PDB file of all heavy atoms in Angstrom:
ATOM      1  N   ALA A 319     -16.325 -27.411   7.867  1.00  0.00           N
ATOM      2  CA  ALA A 319     -15.328 -28.319   8.438  1.00  0.00           C
ATOM      3  C   ALA A 319     -15.506 -29.746   7.938  1.00  0.00           C
ATOM      4  O   ALA A 319     -14.535 -30.474   7.758  1.00  0.00           O
ATOM      5  CB  ALA A 319     -15.418 -28.279   9.965  1.00  0.00           C
ATOM      6  N   GLU A 320     -16.769 -30.140   7.660  1.00  0.00           N
ATOM      7  CA  GLU A 320     -16.997 -31.506   7.185  1.00  0.00           C
ATOM      8  C   GLU A 320     -16.336 -31.747   5.831  1.00  0.00           C
ATOM      9  O   GLU A 320     -16.086 -32.877   5.437  1.00  0.00           O
ATOM     10  CB  GLU A 320     -18.498 -31.807   7.047  1.00  0.00           C
ATOM     11  CG  GLU A 320     -19.298 -31.580   8.315  1.00  0.00           C
ATOM     12  CD  GLU A 320     -19.848 -30.163   8.366  1.00  0.00           C
ATOM     13  OE1 GLU A 320     -19.043 -29.231   8.534  1.00  0.00           O
ATOM     14  OE2 GLU A 320     -21.065 -29.979   8.248  1.00  0.00           O
ATOM     15  N   GLY A 321     -16.090 -30.662   5.102  1.00  0.00           N
ATOM     16  CA  GLY A 321     -15.469 -30.786   3.790  1.00  0.00           C
ATOM     17  C   GLY A 321     -13.963 -30.639   3.825  1.00  0.00           C
ATOM     18  O   GLY A 321     -13.346 -30.403   2.776  1.00  0.00           O
ATOM     19  N   LEU A 322     -13.357 -30.780   5.007  1.00  0.00           N
ATOM     20  CA  LEU A 322     -11.928 -30.532   5.133  1.00  0.00           C
ATOM     21  C   LEU A 322     -11.107 -31.468   4.247  1.00  0.00           C
ATOM     22  O   LEU A 322     -10.117 -31.040   3.632  1.00  0.00           O
ATOM     23  CB  LEU A 322     -11.505 -30.669   6.599  1.00  0.00           C
ATOM     24  CG  LEU A 322     -10.064 -30.279   6.933  1.00  0.00           C
ATOM     25  CD1 LEU A 322      -9.782 -28.848   6.523  1.00  0.00           C
ATOM     26  CD2 LEU A 322      -9.801 -30.464   8.425  1.00  0.00           C
ATOM     27  N   ALA A 323     -11.506 -32.708   4.149  1.00  0.00           N
ATOM     28  CA  ALA A 323     -10.765 -33.646   3.295  1.00  0.00           C
ATOM     29  C   ALA A 323     -10.811 -33.189   1.838  1.00  0.00           C
ATOM     30  O   ALA A 323      -9.795 -33.229   1.132  1.00  0.00           O
ATOM     31  CB  ALA A 323     -11.339 -35.051   3.428  1.00  0.00           C
ATOM     32  N   ASN A 324     -11.990 -32.738   1.398  1.00  0.00           N
ATOM     33  CA  ASN A 324     -12.101 -32.243   0.028  1.00  0.00           C
ATOM     34  C   ASN A 324     -11.293 -30.966  -0.169  1.00  0.00           C
ATOM     35  O   ASN A 324     -10.687 -30.762  -1.231  1.00  0.00           O
ATOM     36  CB  ASN A 324     -13.568 -31.984  -0.324  1.00  0.00           C
ATOM     37  CG  ASN A 324     -14.359 -33.259  -0.513  1.00  0.00           C
ATOM     38  OD1 ASN A 324     -13.786 -34.291  -0.835  1.00  0.00           O
ATOM     39  ND2 ASN A 324     -15.661 -33.198  -0.305  1.00  0.00           N
ATOM     40  N   LEU A 325     -11.289 -30.121   0.864  1.00  0.00           N
ATOM     41  CA  LEU A 325     -10.502 -28.887   0.777  1.00  0.00           C
ATOM     42  C   LEU A 325      -9.021 -29.229   0.619  1.00  0.00           C
ATOM     43  O   LEU A 325      -8.306 -28.589  -0.181  1.00  0.00           O
ATOM     44  CB  LEU A 325     -10.723 -28.035   2.029  1.00  0.00           C
ATOM     45  CG  LEU A 325      -9.952 -26.717   2.101  1.00  0.00           C
ATOM     46  CD1 LEU A 325     -10.395 -25.778   0.991  1.00  0.00           C
ATOM     47  CD2 LEU A 325     -10.151 -26.056   3.460  1.00  0.00           C
ATOM     48  N   LYS A 326      -8.568 -30.226   1.362  1.00  0.00           N
ATOM     49  CA  LYS A 326      -7.159 -30.634   1.243  1.00  0.00           C
ATOM     50  C   LYS A 326      -6.850 -31.114  -0.169  1.00  0.00           C
ATOM     51  O   LYS A 326      -5.801 -30.787  -0.735  1.00  0.00           O
ATOM     52  CB  LYS A 326      -6.848 -31.725   2.269  1.00  0.00           C
ATOM     53  CG  LYS A 326      -6.822 -31.229   3.713  1.00  0.00           C
ATOM     54  CD  LYS A 326      -6.569 -32.377   4.693  1.00  0.00           C
ATOM     55  CE  LYS A 326      -6.496 -31.862   6.122  1.00  0.00           C
ATOM     56  NZ  LYS A 326      -6.289 -32.952   7.099  1.00  0.00           N
ATOM     57  N   VAL A 327      -7.777 -31.865  -0.753  1.00  0.00           N
ATOM     58  CA  VAL A 327      -7.582 -32.341  -2.131  1.00  0.00           C
ATOM     59  C   VAL A 327      -7.512 -31.156  -3.090  1.00  0.00           C
ATOM     60  O   VAL A 327      -6.662 -31.115  -3.997  1.00  0.00           O
ATOM     61  CB  VAL A 327      -8.724 -33.302  -2.531  1.00  0.00           C
ATOM     62  CG1 VAL A 327      -8.684 -33.602  -4.026  1.00  0.00           C
ATOM     63  CG2 VAL A 327      -8.627 -34.597  -1.732  1.00  0.00           C
ATOM     64  N   ARG A 328      -8.379 -30.176  -2.887  1.00  0.00           N
ATOM     65  CA  ARG A 328      -8.398 -29.018  -3.776  1.00  0.00           C
ATOM     66  C   ARG A 328      -7.122 -28.196  -3.637  1.00  0.00           C
ATOM     67  O   ARG A 328      -6.593 -27.684  -4.626  1.00  0.00           O
ATOM     68  CB  ARG A 328      -9.641 -28.167  -3.490  1.00  0.00           C
ATOM     69  CG  ARG A 328     -10.923 -28.870  -3.898  1.00  0.00           C
ATOM     70  CD  ARG A 328     -12.175 -28.122  -3.494  1.00  0.00           C
ATOM     71  NE  ARG A 328     -12.340 -26.892  -4.272  1.00  0.00           N
ATOM     72  CZ  ARG A 328     -13.505 -26.276  -4.409  1.00  0.00           C
ATOM     73  NH1 ARG A 328     -14.593 -26.767  -3.836  1.00  0.00           N
ATOM     74  NH2 ARG A 328     -13.593 -25.171  -5.108  1.00  0.00           N
ATOM     75  N   MET A 329      -6.605 -28.077  -2.430  1.00  0.00           N
ATOM     76  CA  MET A 329      -5.347 -27.362  -2.245  1.00  0.00           C
ATOM     77  C   MET A 329      -4.181 -28.154  -2.859  1.00  0.00           C
ATOM     78  O   MET A 329      -3.284 -27.592  -3.492  1.00  0.00           O
ATOM     79  CB  MET A 329      -5.082 -27.098  -0.767  1.00  0.00           C
ATOM     80  CG  MET A 329      -6.048 -26.100  -0.121  1.00  0.00           C
ATOM     81  SD  MET A 329      -5.971 -24.425  -0.822  1.00  0.00           S
ATOM     82  CE  MET A 329      -7.523 -24.389  -1.725  1.00  0.00           C
ATOM     83  N   ASP A 330      -4.211 -29.469  -2.688  1.00  0.00           N
ATOM     84  CA  ASP A 330      -3.176 -30.313  -3.301  1.00  0.00           C
ATOM     85  C   ASP A 330      -3.165 -30.154  -4.820  1.00  0.00           C
ATOM     86  O   ASP A 330      -2.102 -30.194  -5.458  1.00  0.00           O
ATOM     87  CB  ASP A 330      -3.402 -31.786  -2.954  1.00  0.00           C
ATOM     88  CG  ASP A 330      -3.065 -32.116  -1.499  1.00  0.00           C
ATOM     89  OD1 ASP A 330      -2.375 -31.310  -0.854  1.00  0.00           O
ATOM     90  OD2 ASP A 330      -3.510 -33.180  -1.020  1.00  0.00           O
ATOM     91  N   SER A 331      -4.346 -29.956  -5.403  1.00  0.00           N
ATOM     92  CA  SER A 331      -4.448 -29.864  -6.863  1.00  0.00           C
ATOM     93  C   SER A 331      -3.755 -28.632  -7.418  1.00  0.00           C
ATOM     94  O   SER A 331      -3.445 -28.578  -8.620  1.00  0.00           O
ATOM     95  CB  SER A 331      -5.923 -29.859  -7.290  1.00  0.00           C
ATOM     96  OG  SER A 331      -6.538 -28.602  -7.022  1.00  0.00           O
ATOM     97  N   ILE A 332      -3.495 -27.645  -6.576  1.00  0.00           N
ATOM     98  CA  ILE A 332      -2.782 -26.439  -7.026  1.00  0.00           C
ATOM     99  C   ILE A 332      -1.382 -26.367  -6.418  1.00  0.00           C
ATOM    100  O   ILE A 332      -0.757 -25.306  -6.377  1.00  0.00           O
ATOM    101  CB  ILE A 332      -3.577 -25.142  -6.731  1.00  0.00           C
ATOM    102  CG1 ILE A 332      -3.884 -25.012  -5.239  1.00  0.00           C
ATOM    103  CG2 ILE A 332      -4.852 -25.103  -7.558  1.00  0.00           C
ATOM    104  CD1 ILE A 332      -4.494 -23.663  -4.858  1.00  0.00           C
ATOM    105  N   GLY A 333      -0.894 -27.504  -5.935  1.00  0.00           N
ATOM    106  CA  GLY A 333       0.473 -27.571  -5.435  1.00  0.00           C
ATOM    107  C   GLY A 333       0.669 -27.066  -4.028  1.00  0.00           C
ATOM    108  O   GLY A 333       1.798 -26.790  -3.614  1.00  0.00           O
ATOM    109  N   CYS A 334      -0.417 -26.939  -3.265  1.00  0.00           N
ATOM    110  CA  CYS A 334      -0.327 -26.466  -1.875  1.00  0.00           C
ATOM    111  C   CYS A 334      -0.854 -27.551  -0.949  1.00  0.00           C
ATOM    112  O   CYS A 334      -1.505 -28.495  -1.376  1.00  0.00           O
ATOM    113  CB  CYS A 334      -1.149 -25.191  -1.699  1.00  0.00           C
ATOM    114  SG  CYS A 334      -0.540 -23.778  -2.650  1.00  0.00           S
ATOM    115  N   HIS A 335      -0.558 -27.393   0.340  1.00  0.00           N
ATOM    116  CA  HIS A 335      -1.084 -28.369   1.279  1.00  0.00           C
ATOM    117  C   HIS A 335      -1.502 -27.697   2.578  1.00  0.00           C
ATOM    118  O   HIS A 335      -0.849 -26.777   3.066  1.00  0.00           O
ATOM    119  CB  HIS A 335      -0.083 -29.498   1.555  1.00  0.00           C
ATOM    120  CG  HIS A 335       1.247 -29.036   2.048  1.00  0.00           C
ATOM    121  ND1 HIS A 335       2.282 -28.716   1.217  1.00  0.00           N
ATOM    122  CD2 HIS A 335       1.719 -28.855   3.316  1.00  0.00           C
ATOM    123  CE1 HIS A 335       3.332 -28.346   1.926  1.00  0.00           C
ATOM    124  NE2 HIS A 335       3.011 -28.425   3.201  1.00  0.00           N
ATOM    125  N   VAL A 336      -2.632 -28.184   3.107  1.00  0.00           N
ATOM    126  CA  VAL A 336      -3.176 -27.685   4.365  1.00  0.00           C
ATOM    127  C   VAL A 336      -2.325 -28.217   5.504  1.00  0.00           C
ATOM    128  O   VAL A 336      -2.015 -29.415   5.548  1.00  0.00           O
ATOM    129  CB  VAL A 336      -4.641 -28.127   4.522  1.00  0.00           C
ATOM    130  CG1 VAL A 336      -5.149 -27.831   5.931  1.00  0.00           C
ATOM    131  CG2 VAL A 336      -5.515 -27.448   3.478  1.00  0.00           C
ATOM    132  N   VAL A 337      -1.944 -27.335   6.423  1.00  0.00           N
ATOM    133  CA  VAL A 337      -1.117 -27.751   7.555  1.00  0.00           C
ATOM    134  C   VAL A 337      -1.869 -27.552   8.862  1.00  0.00           C
ATOM    135  O   VAL A 337      -2.677 -26.633   9.004  1.00  0.00           O
ATOM    136  CB  VAL A 337       0.223 -26.973   7.598  1.00  0.00           C
ATOM    137  CG1 VAL A 337       1.063 -27.307   6.385  1.00  0.00           C
ATOM    138  CG2 VAL A 337      -0.002 -25.472   7.689  1.00  0.00           C
ATOM    139  N   THR A 338      -1.608 -28.438   9.796  1.00  0.00           N
ATOM    140  CA  THR A 338      -2.168 -28.320  11.139  1.00  0.00           C
ATOM    141  C   THR A 338      -1.211 -27.496  11.992  1.00  0.00           C
ATOM    142  O   THR A 338      -0.020 -27.760  12.024  1.00  0.00           O
ATOM    143  CB  THR A 338      -2.351 -29.707  11.772  1.00  0.00           C
ATOM    144  OG1 THR A 338      -3.281 -30.450  10.990  1.00  0.00           O
ATOM    145  CG2 THR A 338      -2.875 -29.598  13.194  1.00  0.00           C
ATOM    146  N   GLY A 339      -1.736 -26.513  12.648  1.00  0.00           N
ATOM    147  CA  GLY A 339      -0.916 -25.652  13.494  1.00  0.00           C
ATOM    148  C   GLY A 339      -1.600 -24.314  13.669  1.00  0.00           C
ATOM    149  O   GLY A 339      -2.594 -24.021  12.993  1.00  0.00           O
ATOM    150  N   ARG A 340      -1.078 -23.507  14.568  1.00  0.00           N
ATOM    151  CA  ARG A 340      -1.687 -22.201  14.827  1.00  0.00           C
ATOM    152  C   ARG A 340      -1.504 -21.244  13.648  1.00  0.00           C
ATOM    153  O   ARG A 340      -2.341 -20.392  13.424  1.00  0.00           O
ATOM    154  CB  ARG A 340      -1.036 -21.572  16.070  1.00  0.00           C
ATOM    155  CG  ARG A 340      -1.476 -22.187  17.377  1.00  0.00           C
ATOM    156  CD  ARG A 340      -0.648 -21.659  18.542  1.00  0.00           C
ATOM    157  NE  ARG A 340      -0.479 -20.213  18.535  1.00  0.00           N
ATOM    158  CZ  ARG A 340      -0.889 -19.392  19.501  1.00  0.00           C
ATOM    159  NH1 ARG A 340      -1.501 -19.889  20.566  1.00  0.00           N
ATOM    160  NH2 ARG A 340      -0.678 -18.108  19.424  1.00  0.00           N
ATOM    161  N   GLY A 341      -0.423 -21.398  12.919  1.00  0.00           N
ATOM    162  CA  GLY A 341      -0.194 -20.527  11.771  1.00  0.00           C
ATOM    163  C   GLY A 341      -0.058 -19.067  12.174  1.00  0.00           C
ATOM    164  O   GLY A 341      -0.702 -18.180  11.615  1.00  0.00           O
ATOM    165  N   ASP A 342       0.808 -18.793  13.139  1.00  0.00           N
ATOM    166  CA  ASP A 342       0.999 -17.435  13.610  1.00  0.00           C
ATOM    167  C   ASP A 342       1.727 -16.578  12.590  1.00  0.00           C
ATOM    168  O   ASP A 342       2.464 -17.078  11.725  1.00  0.00           O
ATOM    169  CB  ASP A 342       1.788 -17.438  14.933  1.00  0.00           C
ATOM    170  CG  ASP A 342       0.952 -17.882  16.102  1.00  0.00           C
ATOM    171  OD1 ASP A 342      -0.066 -17.223  16.384  1.00  0.00           O
ATOM    172  OD2 ASP A 342       1.297 -18.903  16.732  1.00  0.00           O
TER     173      ASP A 342
END
Side-chain angles (χ1 to χ4, degrees):
E320 304 91 290
L322 187 57
N324 288 335
L325 179 64
K326 290 177 178 178
V327 170
R328 292 174 70 159
M329 292 297 108
D330 287 343
S331 75
I332 58 172
C334 295
H335 56 271
V336 170
V337 295
T338 298
R340 285 172 46 120
D342 285 300

